Structure formats: C-alpha cells, structure tokens
Amino acid sequence: MIHRRLLQLAGAVPGAVLGLAGVGLVVSALHVVFALTAASVVTALVRGDDAVARPLATLAAVTVARALVIWAREPLAARLGASVRVRLRRRLLDRVTAASAADRRSGETTATVIDGVDGLDAYFTRYLPQLIVVLVVPAAVVTLVSQRAPGAGGVLGVAAAVAVLAPRVWDARLLSNGRARWAAFTRLSADYVEALQSIPLLRSFGAAHRTGAQLDARATELYRSTMVALRTSLVESALSALAVQLGTALAVVAAVAAVAGGSTPAAAAVAVLLLSRECFRPLADLSTHWHAGYVGLAAVDGLDRILSLRAAVPDDGAHDVPAAHGPSVELRDVTFRYPGTDVGVAGLTLRVEPGETVAVVGPSGSGKSTIARLLEREVDPDLGEIEVDEVRVRDYTRGALRRSVVVVPQDPVLFAWTVRANLRLYRPDATDAEVEAAAAAAGLDDVVAGLPAGYDTVLAENGEQLSGGQRQRLAIARALLSRAPVLVLDEVTSALDTETERRVMDGVLAYDPARTTIVIAHRESAAERATRWVALRDGRVTEVGDGPPPSRRLQLGGRR
C-alpha cells in the first residue's frame, strides 16, 4: 500500500529505494534469463539435439551470477536499512526535541521512533523497491509469453492483474485495523513507561496490583486487535496465492491447448511453464515484504503526529557566537503567560550586571522559574525583549545560546552513564582535573569517594542510587564544568541541609567569580552570597535591594 506521508518520507531516502529496486530488477532479469535458457536446454534434450553445451554453460553462468547478486543484495539492504533508520530517527527526534514538553508523550513517541521506524526500514528497503520491480517484471514476462503463446500470455496477464489488484480491496481495512492495533500498542507502551518510572510511588500507595491489572487489560486489548489484523492479512495472502496458482495453471493449460491445436510449437509450453513462475515471483516477494513493512505502515499516525509537531520556539537566530564571559542579562517589559492560565510574568524588567549574583525570591507561582525558562529560550515571551551580552536571546542560534546560558533545574535528569560521563555532558573534552575541580566546588567529591568505582561508577537510571541532594550536587558540578558565562540555579539546593547548602553555594560562587549568576531561591542559605535581590509576586517585581535578601522575603519562597 502507498501512503502520502510515507512517500514524503521516502523522499528523504530516494537513493536506498531506487538502488535496491535496481538490484531487484537485475535479480528478476537473471531469473527470466535462467527460465528461458532452461527451457531451451529441456527442448534440446527432448529433441535429442547435440548442441546443448552452450546453453548449459549459459545456465551455469546465470546461476552463479544470480547467486552472487542475491548474496550481495542482503548486506546492501542491511546497510541501506541502517542508514534509513538513522536518517528517519534523526528527522523525528529533531521534531521531538524542538516541540514543547506537553507534545512529547514519551511512551508513544518511543514506540514510534523505535518500533515504527524499524517497520519503516522494511517498508522502504523491501516493499517500495519490490513494488517498482512488480510494476516492470510481470508486464515484461507477459510480453515474452505472448510472443510464444498469445492465448497463454492473455491468461497470464489477467491473472497477474488480479494478483496485484484483488488484495488491494483489503488494504483499506487492513490499514484501519493496523492503526487500531498501533494505537493500542503505543498506549500500552506509554502505560508501561509511566508505571516503570513510578514503581516506588505505586508501592507506597498500594496501587501496584491495580495498575498491573490495568496493564493486563490493555495487553489483552492489544492481543485482540493484533488477531483482527492477522485475520484480515491472511485473507489478503490467500487472494494473492490463489491468483498466482490459478494463473500459472491456466497459462500452462492455454499453452498446451495451443500446442495441441497446432498453432504453437511444443517447445513453447516449456517456456510458458517456466516464465509463469517468474511472472508471479515478484508478486510473492511483494506480499512477503508487505507483511515485513506492515508495522511501519500501521505506525503512520504516530509518524504523522511527530512530523506535524510545531517547534515550541523557532530556531531562527543567526548569531552563532556565544556570549562573552561575565555578560549582562536584561529582561525589558517581558510578559509571558502559560496557555490557559494567569501564571507567568507580566511587564517584568530586570537587569543583571556582568559578573553579578542576583537572588530572585517570591511565593509559589510568582514567576521565578519562568525567568529560567525564558533565558534558556524554552519559551518565548509574548511581549518584551530578553538580552544576554547585549544580544537578543531570539537572535542567538540554538547552539550559541546553549553555550551562553546553562540552567540547573530543581529536579535534574541524570543518565545511566558513569559519573564522569554525566559531568562531561556539556563538555565531553573536559580533562579529569577539570571534572574533579567542578565536583569539589559543588561538594560532590566526598560523594564520589564513597562510590564503588569513584568517577567511573555507572549510575542507575536517573541516578537512583544517589539521594536527591547528591543528584542536585552532580547537576551543579555539571553546569560549573560547562563554562557557560550565565549560570541560572533554579532552587537547586532544596534537597540539601542548610550547612551543606551554604558550603555548596560558597563553592559555586568561588569557582568562577566572573560568571553572571541568577539564584532562584526560597532559603536564606542559598542566596546569602547574592550581591542583589529581587522579589516577585504575581509575575511582577515588587521590591529590590542590595546584598542577600532578608529572611522574611525568603520565607515567601515556593516551588513555581
């Protein structure tokens, strides 16, 4: 089956499709030459001719050539298939990473990007190339048969047309069933991802058994939709097989009848028998490849959803030079509201001088974390301008902005890599000495010393063997190592005790005193080294002051 969106995606890999189609045509041509040569050999032997040495030599050469081409086709298909998967996944992931967090749907997206693209590999490297072969080879074989036995050629042509077109009656239903199955599969994948990530919570609330029962019910739904799709698919296969078998038999009967009537030489019956097999061979292969690529075709809705995602913010900047070290940061009359809410900032004006450390405080929902999201351009303001180093944030390229501003969130994400690799996330080229210096500044060195393999210890998923405070310190050290000239700490010490928090903040600010730092805080110890403070309420600046913020301001702090 041909689908508009899949044809658009095929435009990204035209070389693979056409190259494999060319190889398929060569294989089919060799099959046809083999059939014609074999027919001539059989005819010569029946007649008792002595001149069979040359046809036999040709038959042997064609056999060897066909074996070599078929042998070469498989590694070529595997290599091109890997290239297809890489290019398609890169294209899909580019869309996903640019989209807003609300549009990502990690479980469904994972199923589409992994299983769906694996199915598309077969669709693009097997089904579409074979479809091109089917458009050429049966017509050519019917022409060859018609030259030898017109009646047999006519029967063969009708049978080939039925074998190609009859199964297409079921394609719409098969695609509909496949989409229903894929929807059930992606829902189940999303549910399993969510459940696995929440096992401690499910246990603590006694909801593990109930969640398991829900997963069982959805797995049963997936099984039923799979069986419906399989039954429909078997009907399609039966129609194709029936057309192939009847077509071959009727073509031979027509050829034999023509021989018996004296209108066709007897040798033509042998050629018709062998060529009939080659007429339907591409159709049988197409049916096999159709089933191989069916998963990708069924995933077309998920692919369409990902490819239709709109970027949360456009990557349209042209300024590709990161900000200088110790830049200024300025927000001028900035207004941003989260869709459907009154939460955000309104008419916010704030300037952070080069190398300054500013504490931003305020109650929950006051807009503190929104400032961090605006600075790293996770969202764009509805009104106003944001500048880093006197350059508008929207004018930076995405890469330049990432090297200019680093935000450490309250709940950092860690990878199942070594501690050293996690710390080098922003700077893979950082030396061991630089890694250890950043870890020491964040108070992480004593944590690493207690790990089984030190910096080479492989973390569990999201660093589950670490405490919340240890994960926060690792994220802080990772940001320090980044060398980004603007550092935004978004309540990153909330899981630390007061004394450890003071020590970590002292180390952070001493690590690079020239760095421009914004500390979003709700505890005095996190902001007592600030040179200036800004209090927010309802997205607006209500008070400002020099030095660390008074304790009464910090008591208003929250987790926006």
Side-chain angles (χ1 to χ4, degrees):
M1 174 178 280
I2 302 299
H3 193 281
R4 173 186 57 83
R5 175 61 81 180
L6 296 185
L7 284 181
Q8 291 175 350
L9 284 175
V13 288
V17 175
L18 295 177
L20 289 169
V23 174
L25 289 171
V26 171
V27 171
S28 293
L30 290 171
H31 281 310
V32 171
V33 172
F34 183 91
L36 291 173
T37 306
S40 65
V41 169
V42 171
T43 301
L45 292 175
V46 170
R47 290 175 177 175
D49 293 346
D50 296 329
V52 295
R54 180 174 295 179
L56 285 174
T58 302
L59 200 64
V62 170
T63 301
V64 172
R66 184 175 59 182
L68 290 175
V69 174
I70 292 174
W71 174 82
R73 179 176 59 181
E74 294 311 309
L76 176 63
R79 190 178 303 111
L80 291 177
S83 174
V84 167
R85 292 195 298 273
V86 168
R87 294 175 67 179
L88 291 180
R89 284 186 176 128
R90 183 183 297 125
R91 185 170 177 178
L92 293 171
L93 290 174
D94 284 345
R95 290 297 184 95
V96 171
T97 54
S100 65
D103 290 331
R104 287 172 192 159
R105 304 179 191 176
S106 58
E108 295 181 20
T109 299
T110 300
T112 300
V113 172
I114 296 178
D115 296 284
V117 170
D118 280 342
L120 283 179
D121 173 4
Y123 186 84
F124 289 133
T125 63
R126 304 287 183 176
Y127 181 74
L128 284 185
Q130 189 63 28
L131 183 62
I132 295 174
V133 173
V134 166
L135 295 176
V136 175
V137 174
V141 173
V142 167
T143 301
L144 290 174
V145 171
S146 298
Q147 292 174 349
R148 290 161 174 77
V155 170
L156 198 62
V158 171
V162 171
V164 172
L165 299 177
R168 305 291 76 80
V169 175
W170 294 89
D171 278 351
R173 183 174 178 183
L174 192 59
L175 180 58
S176 175
N177 291 339
R179 284 174 161 174
R181 179 198 170 278
W182 184 259
F185 175 73
T186 54
R187 283 196 301 271
L188 184 62
S189 297
D191 291 341
Y192 267 111
V193 169
E194 187 176 65
L196 288 171
Q197 292 174 341
S198 308
I199 286 176
L201 180 65
L202 294 173
R203 284 176 177 170
S204 64
F205 280 81
H209 180 74
R210 184 170 67 253
T211 301
Q214 292 172 349
L215 291 174
D216 283 343
R218 292 194 174 103
T220 301
E221 177 189 353
L222 175 60
Y223 160 74
R224 289 172 179 166
S225 61
T226 300
M227 295 307 296
V228 169
L230 179 60
R231 284 194 293 269
T232 307
S233 178
L234 289 175
V235 172
E236 184 266 348
S237 298
L239 287 174
S240 296
L242 181 62
V244 168
Q245 299 303 324
L246 284 178
T248 302
L250 291 176
V252 173
V253 168
V256 171
V259 171
S263 60
T264 301
V270 178
V272 168
L273 175 62
L274 296 177
L275 286 174
S276 296
R277 175 69 185 91
E278 301 313 321
C279 177
F280 292 111
R281 186 194 297 272
L283 294 171
D285 291 341
L286 181 68
S287 180
T288 301
H289 297 322
W290 153 251
H291 291 289
Y294 177 63
V295 172
L297 186 61
V300 69
D301 290 336
L303 294 164
D304 201 38
R305 182 187 69 80
I306 293 177
L307 293 172
S308 300
L309 290 177
R310 298 182 61 184
V313 293
D315 185 18
D316 52 6
H319 190 83
D320 59 358
V321 179
H325 201 67
S328 62
V329 175
E330 186 170 8
L331 293 84
R332 290 197 303 273
D333 297 319
V334 171
T335 295
F336 171 79
R337 296 296 189 192
Y338 293 96
T341 73
D342 291 330
V343 179
V345 294
L348 178 66
T349 294
L350 171 65
R351 180 175 174 83
V352 182
E353 298 298 335
E356 188 178 19
T357 299
V358 172
V360 178
V361 300
S364 178
S366 62
K368 303 187 304 297
S369 292
T370 301
I371 293 176
R373 298 188 68 192
L374 288 165
L375 283 174
E376 64 177 342
R377 210 184 172 206
E378 188 176 333
V379 293
D380 273 342
D382 303 322
L383 298 171
E385 292 294 346
I386 304 172
E387 292 183 354
V388 174
D389 201 21
E390 310 298 332
V391 178
R392 295 191 312 168
V393 165
R394 67 177 69 244
D395 290 337
Y396 282 100
T397 62
R398 184 174 298 167
L401 183 61
R402 297 294 179 264
R403 294 194 299 274
S404 301
V405 179
V406 61
V407 175
V408 186
Q410 180 176 356
D411 299 312
V413 174
L414 303 180
F415 297 92
W417 306 341
T418 64
V419 173
R420 195 186 311 276
N422 270 280
L423 290 170
R424 284 174 169 163
L425 179 64
Y426 291 101
R427 282 185 56 212
D429 60 340
T431 65
D432 289 345
E434 290 173 324
V435 167
E436 293 169 11
L444 187 69
D445 47 352
D446 59 335
V447 176
V448 175
L451 295 175
Y455 287 96
D456 295 319
T457 300
V458 177
L459 298 180
E461 184 178 4
N462 204 26
E464 289 299 326
Q465 72 263 57
L466 303 179
S467 69
Q470 291 170 341
R471 289 198 295 270
Q472 287 182 333
R473 279 183 276 174
L474 195 155
I476 292 171
R478 181 168 63 189
L480 294 178
L481 192 63
S482 71
R483 287 183 178 170
V486 177
L487 176 64
V488 182
L489 304 176
D490 189 2
E491 298 182 3
V492 296
T493 58
S494 60
L496 300 177
D497 62 81
T498 304
E499 182 56 37
T500 302
E501 184 179 49
R502 286 195 178 97
R503 187 172 69 251
V504 169
M505 291 307 300
D506 286 345
V508 167
L509 297 178
Y511 181 82
D512 186 357
R515 201 173 226 156
T516 302
T517 305
I518 298 175
V519 180
I520 297 171
H522 66 279
R523 291 199 311 210
E524 180 179 1
S525 52
E528 62 184 10
R529 292 284 302 274
T531 55
R532 190 158 53 93
W533 59 271
V534 176
L536 299 184
R537 181 177 288 276
D538 297 328
R540 300 177 184 275
V541 176
T542 57
E543 293 183 72
V544 297
D546 294 328
S551 297
R552 63 186 181 90
R553 304 287 174 215
L554 290 163
Q555 289 169 1
L556 297 174
R559 294 182 60 180
R560 162 57 234 135

